Coordinates of all heavy atoms in Angstrom, one line a residue:
Chain A
K9 N 13.4 1.2 -12.9 CA 12.4 2.2 -12.5 C 11.3 2.4 -13.8 O 10.1 2.5 -13.5 CB 13.0 3.5 -12.3 CG 12.0 4.6 -11.8 CD 12.8 5.8 -11.3 CE 11.8 6.8 -10.6 NZ 11.1 6.3 -9.4
Y33 N 4.6 -8.6 -1.2 CA 3.4 -8.2 -1.9 C 3.7 -7.6 -3.2 O 4.7 -6.8 -3.4 CB 2.5 -7.3 -1.1 CG 2.3 -7.7 0.3 CD1 3.2 -7.4 1.2 CD2 1.1 -8.5 0.7 CE1 3.0 -7.8 2.6 CE2 1.0 -8.7 2.0 CZ 1.9 -8.3 3.0 OH 1.8 -8.7 4.3
Q37 N -0.9 -0.3 -9.7 CA -1.6 1.0 -9.5 C -2.0 1.7 -10.8 O -1.1 1.8 -11.8 CB -0.7 1.9 -8.7 CG -1.4 3.2 -8.3 CD -0.5 4.2 -7.5 OE1 0.7 4.1 -7.4 NE2 -1.2 5.0 -6.7
Q50 N 3.6 -15.0 2.1 CA 3.7 -14.9 3.6 C 5.0 -15.6 4.1 O 5.5 -15.4 5.3 CB 2.6 -15.4 4.3 CG 1.4 -14.6 3.8 CD 0.2 -14.6 4.7 OE1 0.1 -13.9 5.6 NE2 -0.8 -15.5 4.5
G96 N 5.2 -9.8 9.0 CA 4.5 -11.2 8.8 C 3.7 -11.6 10.0 O 4.2 -11.3 11.1
Y97 N 2.8 -12.4 9.8 CA 1.9 -12.8 10.8 C 2.5 -13.8 11.9 O 2.1 -13.9 13.0 CB 0.6 -13.5 10.3 CG -0.5 -13.8 11.2 CD1 -1.3 -12.8 11.6 CD2 -0.6 -15.1 11.7 CE1 -2.3 -13.0 12.5 CE2 -1.7 -15.3 12.5 CZ -2.5 -14.3 12.9 OH -3.6 -14.6 13.8
Y104 N 1.9 -5.0 11.2 CA 1.1 -5.1 10.0 C 1.4 -4.1 8.9 O 1.0 -4.4 7.7 CB -0.3 -5.1 10.4 CG -0.7 -6.2 11.2 CD1 -1.0 -6.0 12.7 CD2 -0.8 -7.6 11.0 CE1 -1.3 -7.0 13.6 CE2 -1.0 -8.6 11.8 CZ -1.2 -8.3 13.2 OH -1.5 -9.2 14.1
E105 N 2.0 -3.1 9.3 CA 2.2 -2.0 8.1 C 3.2 -2.6 7.1 O 4.1 -3.4 7.4 CB 2.7 -0.7 8.7 CG 4.1 -0.7 9.3 CD 4.0 -1.1 10.9 OE1 2.9 -1.6 11.3 OE2 4.9 -0.6 11.6
Q106 N 2.8 -2.2 5.9 CA 3.8 -2.6 4.7 C 4.6 -1.5 4.3 O 4.3 -0.3 4.5 CB 2.8 -3.0 3.6 CG 1.9 -4.3 3.9 CD 1.0 -4.6 2.8 OE1 1.2 -4.2 1.7 NE2 0.1 -5.5 3.1
F108 N 6.9 -0.1 1.3 CA 6.9 -0.2 -0.2 C 8.3 0.3 -0.9 O 9.0 1.1 -0.3 CB 5.9 0.9 -0.8 CG 4.5 0.4 -0.6 CD1 3.9 0.4 0.6 CD2 3.8 -0.2 -1.7 CE1 2.6 -0.1 0.8 CE2 2.5 -0.7 -1.4 CZ 1.8 -0.6 -0.2
G109 N 8.5 -0.4 -2.0 CA 9.7 0.1 -2.9 C 9.3 1.2 -3.7 O 8.1 1.7 -3.6
R113 N 7.6 1.4 -13.4 CA 6.5 1.8 -14.5 C 6.7 1.1 -15.7 O 7.8 1.2 -16.4 CB 6.5 3.5 -14.7 CG 5.4 3.8 -15.5 CD 5.2 5.3 -15.6 NE 4.9 5.8 -14.3 CZ 3.7 5.9 -13.8 NH1 2.6 5.3 -14.4 NH2 3.5 6.4 -12.5
Chain B
Y32 N -7.7 -2.5 12.2 CA -6.2 -2.0 12.1 C -6.1 -1.2 10.9 O -6.4 -1.4 9.9 CB -5.3 -3.2 11.9 CG -5.2 -4.2 13.1 CD1 -6.1 -4.1 14.2 CD2 -4.3 -5.3 13.0 CE1 -5.9 -5.1 15.2 CE2 -4.2 -6.2 14.1 CZ -5.1 -6.2 15.1 OH -5.0 -7.1 16.1
Y36 N -1.0 6.2 4.4 CA 0.2 6.3 3.6 C 0.2 7.6 2.8 O -0.9 8.0 2.5 CB 0.3 5.1 2.7 CG 0.6 3.8 3.3 CD1 -0.4 3.0 3.9 CD2 2.0 3.3 3.3 CE1 -0.1 1.8 4.6 CE2 2.3 2.1 4.0 CZ 1.3 1.4 4.6 OH 1.6 0.2 5.1
Q38 N 2.0 9.2 -1.0 CA 2.6 8.8 -2.2 C 2.9 10.2 -2.9 O 2.0 10.9 -3.3 CB 1.9 7.9 -3.1 CG 2.6 7.4 -4.3 CD 1.8 6.5 -5.1 OE1 0.5 6.6 -5.3 NE2 2.5 5.6 -5.7
N41 N 5.3 9.4 -8.8 CA 6.2 8.5 -9.4 C 7.1 7.8 -8.3 O 8.2 7.4 -8.5 CB 7.2 8.9 -10.4 CG 6.4 9.3 -11.6 OD1 5.5 8.5 -12.1 ND2 6.3 10.5 -12.2
R42 N 6.5 7.7 -7.0 CA 7.3 7.1 -5.9 C 6.4 6.0 -5.3 O 5.1 5.9 -5.7 CB 7.6 8.2 -4.9 CG 8.5 9.3 -5.4 CD 9.9 8.9 -5.7 NE 10.6 8.4 -4.4 CZ 11.1 9.3 -3.6 NH1 11.1 10.5 -3.8 NH2 11.8 8.8 -2.6
G43 N 7.0 5.3 -4.4 CA 6.3 4.3 -3.8 C 5.6 5.0 -2.6 O 5.7 6.1 -2.3
L44 N 4.7 4.2 -1.8 CA 3.9 4.7 -0.7 C 4.8 4.7 0.5 O 5.7 3.9 0.7 CB 2.8 3.7 -0.4 CG 1.6 4.1 -1.2 CD1 1.8 3.7 -2.7 CD2 0.3 3.3 -0.6
K49 N -0.3 4.4 12.1 CA -1.3 3.3 12.3 C -2.1 3.4 13.5 O -1.6 4.1 14.4 CB -0.6 2.0 12.1 CG 0.4 1.7 13.3 CD 1.1 0.5 13.1 CE 2.1 0.3 14.2 NZ 2.8 -1.0 14.2
R94 N -6.6 -3.4 7.6 CA -6.1 -4.8 7.7 C -7.4 -5.7 7.2 O -8.3 -5.6 7.7 CB -5.5 -5.3 8.9 CG -5.0 -6.6 8.9 CD -4.6 -7.1 10.2 NE -4.1 -8.5 10.1 CZ -4.2 -9.4 11.1 NH1 -4.7 -9.0 12.3 NH2 -3.8 -10.6 11.0
G101 N -6.0 -16.8 10.7 CA -5.3 -17.6 9.6 C -3.9 -17.1 9.5 O -3.2 -16.8 10.4
A102 N -3.5 -16.8 8.3 CA -2.1 -16.4 7.9 C -2.1 -15.3 6.8 O -1.7 -15.7 5.7 CB -1.3 -17.6 7.7
T103 N -2.7 -14.2 7.3 CA -2.6 -13.1 6.1 C -2.3 -11.7 6.7 O -2.8 -11.5 7.9 CB -3.9 -13.1 5.3 OG1 -3.7 -12.0 4.3 CG2 -5.2 -12.7 6.3
N104 N -1.5 -11.0 6.0 CA -1.3 -9.5 6.5 C -1.8 -8.7 5.4 O -1.2 -7.5 5.3 CB 0.2 -9.4 6.6 CG 0.6 -10.0 7.9 OD1 0.3 -9.5 9.1 ND2 1.3 -11.1 7.9

Side-chain angles (χ1 to χ4, degrees):
Chain A
K9 188 170 179 63
Y33 313 81
Q37 186 176 21
Q50 302 199 83
Y97 188 77
Y104 301 106
E105 63 268 26
Q106 296 177 12
F108 285 78
R113 187 166 296 280
Chain B
Y32 294 1
Y36 287 83
Q38 184 182 33
N41 293 311
R42 301 287 298 274
L44 276 67
K49 66 181 177 183
R94 184 188 176 208
T103 180
N104 286 289

